[in-house]
Amino acid sequence: MLPNAVEEDAAGSPSAPPSGVVGGMSFLDRFLPLWIGAAMAAGLLLGRSVSGLDDALDAIKVGEVSLPIALGLLFMMYPVLAKVRYDKLGSVTGDKRLLVSSIVLNWVLGPALMFALAWIFLPDHPEYRTGLIIVGLARCIAMVIIWNDLACGDREAAAVLVAINSVFQVIAFAALGWFYLEVLPSWLGLDTSALDVSAWDIGKSVLIFLGVPLLAGYLTRRFGERAKGRTWYEERFLPRIGPVALYGLLFTIVILFALQGDTITSQPGDVARIALPLLVYFALMWGGSFALGRGIGLPYDRSATLAFTAAGNNFELAIAVAIGVFGVTSGQALAGVVGPLIEVPVLVALVYVSLWGRKFFRPRTATPASER
């Protein structure tokens, strides 16, 4: 994918300007925004034209987990996680600036900012407002790895931050939902809306959507390298499975948009009202995090990782919670589905902004060949 499209010199600086990135991309990656837009359109068309499709898709479950969405996520996540050099993770956990910044951005500033924007832009729509707050609480664990990979971010750092967010979601999602939907509005004299969802339901979703592909990716690299060596694994095996991530992404987008296709196309005004605070949120979170990374001295790859993991949200989990608690046709579920409608094209655009911004960072020092 894109990280392999731009080679770096010995000092770690790009050997070609961002304008040369597109020319080095594969055909699939070069037109990624087009494929994503087509997937959104296909999902909306299916949801609008096929009567009862949303109910049929919602009924295909294993327990409370949507099987089509789970399959799409598994295929999307596995190739990306199989690329991670797990033997280098210690160098990430030792970067306290990165870890502390990510935790504060994801679990203090992110939810608080979404709460504020939801009340500012949707004071008269409690269902949409609640849905947006749930999106703000669902921190990135899935598609952000793809955006980070495309932006030439630090893959190992992204894996660690995703793992941290996963643990936090298992432990804190229900408590934070109660705080932001009931306690804080009450303190501020605002209307309250309770969120009743167990930590086990959240944990089960995280284990399925992240745990399974993470384990598969780790085992594939470990045994693949042991059997064939790192050169074969990274130069022969990974290029073969790489496109599967894009296919999984597009399939997941089609399914998510088919679930709410009729509502989205019949209520464009409501969709626009939900979209506006999301646009502000992504701009502030990504831009502020990217600038923070540079300000505290992080190199480009880790600044990009910090920015994308702070701005991205786990909309799959947000949609699952909204549907499970409020129903598939609820306003809360609609707000969750509008999330990727805005997030996907915005973060794809920010990939290009991020690559352009590499010139404002100092290059890394050369890495000894023995450590590569």
Side-chain angles (χ1 to χ4, degrees):
M1 299 181 80
L2 184 54
N4 298 323
V6 181
E7 299 297 331
E8 296 185 352
D9 58 25
S13 60
S15 59
S19 60
V21 170
V22 175
M25 297 170 66
S26 69
F27 176 77
L28 289 175
D29 293 330
R30 187 179 306 173
F31 297 100
L32 180 61
L34 177 62
W35 310 138
I36 290 175
M40 290 179 177
L44 292 173
L45 182 62
L46 284 173
R48 181 75 174 178
S49 60
V50 180
S51 178
L53 179 62
D54 53 351
D55 293 332
L57 290 173
D58 187 52
I60 306 175
K61 293 181 178 180
V62 177
E64 294 299 320
V65 179
S66 169
L67 184 58
I69 292 177
L71 288 175
L73 289 171
L74 292 175
F75 281 109
M76 179 178 75
M77 292 293 294
Y78 165 68
V80 178
L81 291 169
K83 294 180 180 180
V84 177
R85 291 185 177 183
Y86 293 94
D87 57 340
K88 303 295 184 182
L89 294 184
S91 65
V92 178
T93 56
D95 192 337
K96 303 303 181 185
R97 296 170 302 172
L98 177 66
L99 290 179
V100 172
S101 298
S102 179
I103 291 173
V104 172
L105 287 167
N106 274 285
W107 296 102
V108 179
L109 296 181
L113 176 61
M114 189 70 87
F115 172 85
L117 292 173
W119 276 97
I120 290 171
F121 286 95
L122 296 166
D124 55 337
H125 284 278
E127 290 188 353
Y128 300 156
R129 186 176 64 236
T130 297
L132 279 183
I133 293 172
I134 293 173
V135 170
L137 296 176
R139 311 311 299 169
C140 62
I141 69 166
M143 287 173 60
V144 68
I145 294 182
I146 292 181
W147 311 137
N148 176 78
D149 214 26
L150 289 171
C152 303
D154 188 316
R155 191 176 297 150
E156 284 72 35
V160 171
L161 298 183
V162 160
I164 292 173
N165 281 340
S166 301
V167 173
F168 268 81
Q169 283 183 95
V170 173
I171 297 173
F173 190 98
L176 286 172
W178 170 71
F179 175 76
Y180 278 104
L181 295 172
E182 186 170 354
V183 175
L184 186 56
S186 179
W187 287 352
L188 298 175
L190 305 171
D191 293 333
T192 61
S193 177
L195 174 64
D196 182 18
V197 59
S198 71
W200 167 242
D201 290 336
I202 303 300
K204 182 167 60 177
S205 296
V206 171
L207 287 174
I208 293 173
F209 293 154
L210 178 66
V212 171
L214 179 60
L215 178 62
Y218 171 77
L219 293 177
T220 300
R221 177 173 277 277
R222 180 175 181 181
F223 291 107
E225 288 189 357
R226 180 179 296 179
K228 296 285 189 175
R230 174 161 288 185
T231 299
W232 173 87
Y233 183 85
E234 295 191 343
E235 295 182 4
R236 300 288 298 276
F237 178 72
L238 289 182
R240 293 178 182 175
I241 66 171
V244 174
L246 176 59
Y247 302 146
L249 168 63
L250 298 179
F251 175 79
T252 303
I253 290 173
V254 170
I255 296 300
L256 288 174
F257 279 78
L259 284 170
Q260 286 274 358
D262 184 68
T263 304
I264 290 175
T265 55
S266 62
Q267 301 178 24
D270 287 357
V271 171
R273 289 201 60 182
I274 297 170
L276 186 56
L278 284 169
L279 286 170
V280 176
Y281 173 84
F282 292 133
L284 291 177
M285 286 299 294
W286 189 91
S289 301
F290 194 70
L292 174 64
R294 186 181 185 281
I296 62 177
L298 295 178
Y300 165 78
D301 57 351
R302 293 197 171 179
S303 294
T305 297
L306 179 66
F308 281 101
T309 52
N313 292 90
N314 183 7
F315 60 79
E316 304 90 350
L317 179 60
I319 292 170
V321 171
I323 290 175
V325 176
F326 302 104
V328 68
T329 59
S330 65
Q332 290 88 345
L334 174 61
V337 172
V338 173
L341 176 67
I342 305 303
E343 177 175 334
V344 170
V346 168
L347 291 189
V348 167
L350 289 174
V351 166
Y352 293 92
V353 176
S354 183
L355 290 168
W356 172 81
R358 297 212 308 188
K359 62 185 180 182
F360 297 108
F361 289 79
R362 293 181 179 178
R364 279 183 180 272
T365 56
T367 302
S370 60
E371 297 181 10
R372 293 176 185 170

